[in-house]
Amino acid sequence: MLIPGRLLIAVLLVTAANAAIPSAAQAQQHWALSGDSRGRHLVRDAEDLCTTCVQLEELAVLGDMAGDGFIQWSRVATRDSLGRYWVGQGQSLKVYDAAGRFLREMGRAGEGPLEFGRVVFVRADSDGVHVLDVRNSRESVIDANFALSEEQRLPGRFRSIYSVAALNGDYVANAWVLSPEGIRLPLHVIRGQEVVRSFGVSDATDPYDVWRSLRILAARPDGVIAAAERFAYTVEVWDSGGSRLVDLHHEVSLNEVEVRQVPYNLTDHPPPHEVIAVRFDGAGRLWVLFHMMRDGWERHYEPQEFPDGQTGIRRRSDSTLDSIYESRLDVIDLQSGTVVARAQLPGHFEAFVGDGLLLQYRELPNTEQLAIWRVTIDGR
């Protein structure tokens, strides 16, 4: 699960000065929403909620039917300055041009230069493509000519990072950690090998386990961080100094009952609706991407017995993810704290790839593909 190695635990509570990251006061000064005594803002659908404003345009389809361009499911992807798409494939990356044509594979399994243990995050900037490898505790920077230009160690050896977002040259990561004081800390600002600060639990006496600590992250250039709960329509907004600015909590629950750990079953513990990705845009809005279970999802599963005696479920071989889930996009205006646009998306969408770009996963007979879509919001 989300338990990093000893080195990270040892440095969790180290606080470092960071003049480049806005302070709590600076972030709060520009923050529009206020909450109740607990810092909670109740989010509602706007009276003029638009369900036809979201427009999609398919830009590229990634993944050949056979050969080196074959691609597998991924939520790790970015677009570089030349319009090329880089997609994480576990221990390597595959690169496609702007039209979706396969260019090359980067990396292989291992611990040497341009070898990876597990790619968990990629981003692109003027320096090249930055690749975070959690098992080798390393960030690699690949230039426009596909050469390794820089390597930098990450703190400790994480067993798992659930989500990462770029934060002005640093990173904010979601990894569950138990500090020496017994405090559960799911959010960590990382700079090179240093954990600048760790935060995310306002009440350390809560029974905060690994499952409940899963967060999906996004960050703005001013250092504001969105940390969305995976199984609830709740997004905590923090500054990079570890101060919570507001807790956005939609009045309609995402799941009616608290989600427990797997295995799911067909009766009292069905698969949940969940938040998949979040992003800030330049218009002061927060985009939230969901996977929602369709009515009749049970038809696509059958019981499965596990060695420990528990009964779970497995997907039937003749079903597809599109028949089980639907994707939904909500756009929250951070000035009013209301949902101003909503769309049911035509497919199984997995991630935001860049500004206004969405990654779709497709299951096809005998193969898989990923598609890149541009998303715009008319009149909003």
Side-chain angles (χ1 to χ4, degrees):
M1 298 300 291
L2 305 179
I3 304 175
R6 295 180 180 177
L7 179 58
L8 178 59
I9 295 176
V11 299
L12 270 177
L13 301 180
V14 175
T15 301
N18 180 14
I21 298 179
S23 67
Q26 290 171 321
Q28 185 67 65
Q29 180 181 0
H30 301 288
W31 192 251
L33 297 179
S34 61
D36 59 18
S37 60
R38 297 173 298 170
R40 173 171 287 192
H41 177 90
L42 189 63
V43 175
R44 295 183 171 91
D45 294 347
E47 292 184 3
D48 60 344
L49 172 68
C50 184
T51 58
T52 60
C53 295
V54 176
Q55 306 297 322
L56 292 98
E57 175 191 3
E58 185 179 282
L59 299 182
V61 176
L62 316 180
D64 299 336
M65 301 299 289
D68 294 339
F70 174 81
I71 204 168
Q72 294 179 304
W73 173 90
S74 181
R75 289 178 181 162
V76 179
T78 192
R79 185 171 69 169
D80 67 16
S81 60
L82 299 177
R84 301 174 299 195
Y85 299 104
W86 299 62
V87 182
Q89 294 286 276
Q91 296 171 321
S92 67
L93 299 104
K94 291 194 175 183
V95 187
Y96 300 80
D97 69 13
R101 291 183 290 266
F102 176 70
L103 296 177
R104 62 183 298 167
E105 186 168 12
M106 292 297 302
R108 61 183 182 181
E111 299 180 356
L114 286 180
E115 294 179 340
F116 304 106
R118 183 163 71 91
V119 175
V120 297
F121 182 74
V122 293
R123 67 178 179 91
D125 62 14
S126 59
D127 295 327
V129 174
H130 299 247
V131 184
L132 297 193
D133 176 2
V134 66
R135 290 186 179 162
N136 286 328
S137 300
R138 185 174 60 201
E139 176 183 12
S140 302
V141 183
I142 304 172
D143 67 20
N145 297 315
F146 303 107
L148 178 65
S149 64
E150 184 181 354
E151 282 187 348
Q152 180 173 244
R153 302 301 301 177
L154 297 175
R157 180 180 283 273
F158 290 86
R159 291 186 185 178
S160 183
I161 291 178
Y162 183 68
S163 179
V164 183
L167 185 68
N168 297 324
D170 299 332
Y171 295 99
V172 56
N174 171 226
W176 186 87
V177 174
L178 181 66
S179 75
E181 291 77 13
I183 302 173
R184 281 78 170 175
L185 299 167
L187 303 179
H188 316 283
V189 175
I190 296 171
R191 181 180 305 130
Q193 289 186 265
E194 181 183 12
V195 177
V196 177
R197 59 186 57 86
S198 299
F199 54 95
V201 177
S202 57
D203 184 353
T205 63
D206 283 348
Y208 226 75
D209 61 15
V210 175
W211 197 247
R212 293 174 55 200
S213 294
L214 298 179
R215 297 291 186 269
I216 298 91
L217 302 176
R220 297 196 319 196
D222 62 358
V224 171
I225 298 164
E229 293 189 24
R230 180 179 175 185
F231 301 117
Y233 202 151
T234 299
V235 184
E236 291 184 328
V237 181
W238 301 79
D239 74 3
S240 55
S243 295
R244 193 175 71 173
L245 302 177
V246 72
D247 178 346
L248 304 174
H249 182 81
H250 199 280
E251 61 179 347
V252 179
S253 298
L254 186 62
N255 291 290
E256 295 182 359
V257 298
E258 183 177 8
V259 179
R260 307 190 305 273
Q261 295 192 35
V262 293
Y264 303 121
N265 59 54
L266 294 172
T267 55
D268 63 334
H269 186 211
H273 309 307
E274 58 183 309
V275 178
I276 297 300
V278 292
R279 70 173 286 260
F280 291 107
D281 68 14
R285 299 174 299 202
L286 182 69
W287 297 30
V288 186
L289 178 66
F290 303 89
H291 282 173
M292 310 291 289
M293 300 296 294
R294 293 184 183 274
D295 293 339
W297 63 268
E298 303 95 333
R299 299 192 302 270
H300 304 282
Y301 284 94
E302 58 189 9
Q304 179 180 14
E305 296 292 333
F306 290 91
D308 59 5
Q310 296 188 80
T311 300
I313 54 176
R314 63 184 174 190
R315 186 155 62 101
R316 295 182 182 275
S317 60
D318 58 349
S319 69
T320 64
L321 290 176
D322 283 345
S323 64
I324 299 168
Y325 297 95
E326 61 182 359
S327 300
R328 191 180 95 189
L329 176 65
D330 278 12
V331 180
I332 303 173
D333 174 35
L334 295 177
Q335 297 296 318
S336 63
T338 60
V339 180
V340 296
R342 173 172 295 147
Q344 304 299 133
L345 304 177
H348 196 73
F349 287 80
E350 294 286 0
F352 296 109
V353 177
D355 290 341
L357 300 182
L358 270 173
L359 180 72
Q360 180 194 14
Y361 172 68
R362 295 174 176 172
E363 288 182 309
L364 303 174
N366 303 317
T367 191
E368 302 167 78
Q369 288 182 334
L370 297 172
I372 307 293
W373 295 75
R374 177 182 288 118
V375 187
T376 56
I377 304 177
D378 291 344
R380 296 277 175 150

